[in-house]
């Protein structure tokens, strides 16, 4: 209650004014005790990395896998972006059919569902149900970068054009709607539009027939499960809205067979219909875009686009140029006077000292650009970024990397992050970055190469006990190990 809170503040002020020395002494004692607890925690996480961890990882993933709809767990269901690289690698390199099946089925079901924007491309943030149908309509740069990479990699492993198509439509959405005028990438697009959440992305049957010739409207409504009464119930109230979320209940090839059409012809017809619907949709009032540029999220976008440029050759030049321009933007606009990375840019102002993920993910992007182009400048910049990262965040006593350093001055003790969430952990990104840099330098600079790979191994060891208890919590660390 306000009066009680006012009394508490008065008492706090009185103690601070009358017993400041005692307060500061107690604070120093508490900080010292916390430091000892943190040191004990770091010691308890130590271990020796061992490839046997992948057996436990597979078992944990199988336990949580949804064999009907793909993905892991129930509703709400988030894209398992950090797990997909590990599962795809184990499926391909180790010929593990279970891991390959988990990854490919998840990618297939997500792309069929409403969580994928079938008109404009790209993925919404998560599905409110277990079958990937009803999304929370926000779109995040980091989701689409990671998923674009995953669909591209699935195409490499399977040679199935379905995965390439979804990758291209995801990256094309990023280039069309997320690029800033300077060539970097904005952060997110809001879930809400002025008419309410989901309105911008959904359709009534009448709107479709008003936009398309009748024959094409018939075809689109049949294939994308459009209902006269609507199929979209509001996420919060569960009330019917009369609107439809386009989605696929069965593959387009199956539709082609049932309609006695050539699958390629049907794909082309649908692509043309979707393009016209996109033009019509763009006349609506769009959700707001969060146009700040974040170094770590842009690093993931650079990493994914550079990889796709090497694989999706028809689109390679566009994707390579976009990745290069974003990397150049960060290099020239998101570093301070001393050359240290900064975290955030908006409207001409860059600020906030960079965190570990900024260094790790931007480094991953630089290395992917180097792999694509073999231009020496990307490698040289990656080395500079790696050395800054080590200098600023490395824990020389226990291994691994802190998320912050003294420049942030926000926490009484620095913290480490090992567990993945929607993004890889900073330490997971650091392991991947250092491992790729080590490989690139193995012949020309073996001493530096050995230094980087040693730090990557020490980082794994610094959290190995945690990974043994919950291997699926550290997908990005395990992918770096692979």
């Amino acid at each position: 209650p306000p009066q009680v809170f006012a009394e508490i503040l008065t008492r706090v002020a009185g103690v601070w004014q009358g017993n400041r020395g005692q307060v500061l002494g107690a604070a120093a004692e508490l900080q010292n005790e916390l430091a000892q607890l943190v040191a004990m925690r770091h010691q308890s996480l130590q271990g020796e990395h061992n490839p046997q961890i992948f057996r436990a990882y597979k078992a944990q993933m199988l336990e949580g896998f949804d064999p009907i709809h793909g993905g892991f767990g129930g509703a709400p269901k988030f894209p398992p972006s950090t797990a997909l690289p590990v599962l795809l690698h184990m499926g391909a390199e180790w010929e593990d059919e279970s891991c390959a099946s988990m990854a490919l089925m998840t990618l297939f079901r997500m792309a069929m569902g409403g969580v994928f924007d079938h008109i404009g491309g790209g993925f919404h943030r998560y599905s409110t149900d277990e079958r990937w149908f009803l999304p929370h309509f926000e779109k995040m740069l980091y989701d689409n970068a990671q998923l674009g990479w995953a669909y591209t990699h699935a195409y490499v492993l399977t040679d199935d054009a379905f995965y390439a198509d979804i990758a291209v439509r995801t990256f094309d959405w990023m280039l069309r709607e997320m690029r800033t005028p300077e060539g970097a990438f904005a952060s997110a697009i809001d879930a809400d539009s002025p008419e309410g959440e989901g309105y911008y992305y959904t359709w009534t049957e009448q709107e479709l027939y008003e936009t398309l010739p009748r024959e094409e409207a018939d075809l689109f409504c049949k294939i994308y499960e459009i209902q006269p009464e609507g199929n979209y119930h509001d996420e919060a109230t569960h009330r019917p809205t009369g609107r439809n979320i386009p989605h696929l209940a069965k593959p387009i090839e199956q539709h082609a067979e049932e309609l006695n059409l050539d699958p390629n012809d049907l794909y082309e017809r649908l692509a043309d219909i979707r393009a016209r619907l996109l033009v019509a949709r763009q006349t609506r009032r769009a959700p707001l875009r969060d146009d700040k540029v974040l170094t770590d999220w842009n690093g993931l976008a650079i990493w994914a686009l550079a990889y796709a440029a090497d694989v999706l050759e028809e689109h390679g030049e566009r994707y390579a140029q976009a990745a290069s321009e974003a990397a150049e933007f960060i290099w020239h606009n998101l570093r301070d006077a001393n050359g240290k990375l900064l975290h955030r840019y908006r409207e001409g102002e860059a600020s906030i000292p960079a965190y570990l993920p900024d260094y790790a993910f931007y480094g991953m992007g630089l290395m992917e650009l180097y792999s694509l182009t073999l231009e020496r400048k990307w490698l040289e910049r990656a080395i500079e970024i790696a050395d800054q990262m080590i200098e600023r965040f490395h824990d020389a006593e226990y291994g691994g990397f802190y998320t912050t350093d003294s420049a942030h001055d926000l926490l009484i003790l620095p913290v480490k992050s090992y567990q993945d969430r929607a993004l890889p952990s900073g330490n997971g990104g650091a392991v991947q970055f250092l491992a790729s840099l080590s490989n690139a330098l193995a012949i020309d600079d073996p001493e530096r190469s050995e230094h980087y790979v040693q730090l990557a191994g020490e980082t794994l060891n610094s959290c190995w006990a945690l990974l043994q208890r919950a291997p699926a919590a550290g997908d990005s660390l395990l992918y770096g190990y692979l």
Side-chain angles (χ1 to χ4, degrees):
Q3 183 57 40
V4 175
F5 188 50
E7 292 173 1
I8 291 173
L9 292 178
T10 300
R11 290 166 57 193
V12 169
V15 172
W16 179 244
Q17 292 165 4
N19 297 287
R20 186 171 303 192
Q22 183 179 349
V23 171
L24 293 174
E29 185 178 343
L30 177 60
Q31 183 176 10
N32 182 57
E33 291 179 0
L34 284 173
Q36 293 180 41
L37 288 172
V38 169
M40 291 172 60
R41 167 72 170 165
H42 292 331
Q43 288 177 326
S44 72
L45 295 180
Q46 296 282 318
E48 198 70 37
H49 61 276
N50 186 300
Q52 296 299 320
I53 191 76
F54 291 99
R55 291 185 180 178
Y57 177 80
K58 175 183 172 181
Q60 188 177 3
M61 298 304 287
L62 283 169
E63 183 178 355
F65 182 64
D66 179 346
I68 299 174
H69 305 293
F72 299 87
K77 188 174 281 184
F78 287 78
S81 301
T82 60
L84 291 168
V86 186
L87 294 172
L88 288 169
H89 182 96
M90 293 174 69
E93 300 299 324
W94 300 357
E95 298 182 353
D96 191 310
E97 293 185 6
S98 296
C99 290
S101 177
M102 283 190 282
L104 295 174
M105 180 183 176
T106 297
L107 289 168
F108 178 77
R109 293 295 183 188
M110 286 174 53
M112 297 274 284
V115 75
F116 179 66
D117 179 359
H118 290 269
I119 303 299
F123 286 85
H124 298 292
R125 191 177 183 196
Y126 64 89
S127 177
T128 64
D129 59 13
E130 73 282 350
R131 61 191 181 98
W132 304 111
F133 167 67
L134 177 57
H136 175 63
F137 287 93
E138 190 175 18
K139 284 184 173 181
M140 312 300 294
L141 176 63
Y142 61 74
D143 283 327
N144 286 281
Q146 292 178 92
L147 290 172
W149 184 97
Y151 280 96
T152 303
H153 197 51
Y155 170 64
V156 170
L157 301 182
T158 65
D159 202 31
D160 187 336
F162 171 82
Y163 297 109
D165 179 60
I166 301 301
V168 168
R169 289 159 69 184
T170 299
F171 288 127
D172 284 358
W173 167 79
M174 285 171 53
L175 267 59
R176 184 182 67 248
E177 298 192 22
M178 298 302 284
R179 288 190 88 193
T180 67
E182 303 97 333
F185 289 91
S187 295
I189 292 181
D190 196 2
D192 294 319
S193 53
E195 293 79 7
E197 181 175 349
Y199 180 89
Y200 182 77
Y201 298 101
T202 57
W203 302 79
T204 65
E205 186 183 63
Q206 181 180 348
E207 287 171 341
L208 291 166
Y209 278 91
E210 290 173 348
T211 305
L212 300 168
R214 183 170 189 84
E215 183 180 348
E216 293 186 350
D218 286 341
L219 180 65
F220 185 87
C221 289
K222 177 177 178 59
I223 289 179
Y224 286 97
E225 303 295 320
I226 305 302
Q227 305 299 324
E229 69 279 8
N231 62 29
Y232 168 41
H233 289 65
D234 181 80
E235 176 188 341
T237 66
H238 305 291
R239 293 174 182 167
T241 64
R243 306 187 67 78
N244 289 273
I245 300 172
H247 67 288
L248 295 168
K250 51 190 172 184
I252 289 175
E253 290 83 359
Q254 188 174 337
H255 280 290
E257 183 178 350
E258 294 173 357
L259 296 170
N260 198 28
L261 297 171
D262 179 85
N264 292 326
D265 290 342
L266 182 55
Y267 266 108
E268 290 182 11
R269 287 182 64 185
L270 291 173
D272 180 64
I273 292 171
R274 292 195 306 263
R276 276 182 282 162
L277 290 176
L278 177 61
V279 171
R281 194 175 81 179
Q282 289 171 334
T283 64
R284 301 173 180 175
R285 292 187 293 178
L288 295 176
R289 187 177 76 163
D290 179 352
D291 61 0
K292 68 177 177 288
V293 174
L294 298 177
T295 299
D296 51 349
W297 297 10
N298 271 259
L300 290 175
I302 296 162
W303 166 74
L305 282 164
Y307 176 65
D310 192 37
V311 172
L312 306 171
E313 295 180 356
E314 181 182 347
H315 309 274
E317 185 175 344
R318 289 191 301 123
Y319 295 167
Q321 181 177 350
S324 298
E325 289 180 3
E328 290 284 9
F329 178 86
I330 291 175
W331 188 257
H332 293 292
N333 296 277
L334 275 150
R335 294 191 304 152
D336 64 17
N338 297 315
K340 300 292 181 65
L341 277 182
L342 297 169
H343 174 62
R344 195 266 304 159
Y345 174 96
R346 186 172 187 270
E347 295 184 345
E349 183 218 4
S351 63
I352 308 175
Y355 301 92
L356 172 63
D358 294 308
Y359 278 88
F361 301 165
Y362 182 48
M364 289 165 56
L366 292 173
M367 288 307 300
E368 201 63 56
L369 270 173
Y370 175 67
S371 176
L372 172 69
T373 66
L374 296 181
E375 289 185 36
R376 188 75 187 179
K377 71 175 181 179
W378 302 124
L379 180 62
E380 291 172 352
R381 290 178 183 181
I383 291 171
E384 183 173 340
I385 292 299
D387 290 345
Q388 285 185 25
M389 181 180 77
I390 294 164
E391 179 186 355
R392 290 189 60 182
F393 303 108
H394 183 237
D395 179 358
E397 185 172 3
Y398 296 107
F401 294 85
Y402 294 110
T403 302
T404 62
D405 72 349
S406 58
H408 298 96
D409 195 28
L410 296 173
L411 305 173
I412 60 174
L413 292 171
V415 297
K416 294 180 188 175
S417 173
Y418 291 115
Q419 293 176 267
D420 295 333
R421 292 177 174 81
L423 286 81
S425 70
N427 274 283
V431 170
Q432 293 181 40
F433 175 30
L434 292 171
S436 64
L437 193 50
S438 174
N439 288 335
L441 296 170
I443 296 176
D444 294 340
D445 194 344
E447 185 176 346
R448 188 186 291 271
S449 170
E450 178 61 27
H451 175 57
Y452 290 149
V453 79
Q454 182 179 349
L455 288 174
E458 289 177 359
T459 300
L460 289 171
N461 291 343
S462 72
C463 63
W464 198 249
L466 173 65
L467 291 176
Q468 286 180 309
R469 290 197 300 270
D475 298 304
S476 60
L477 287 156
L478 296 182
Y479 188 63
Y481 188 8
L482 290 167

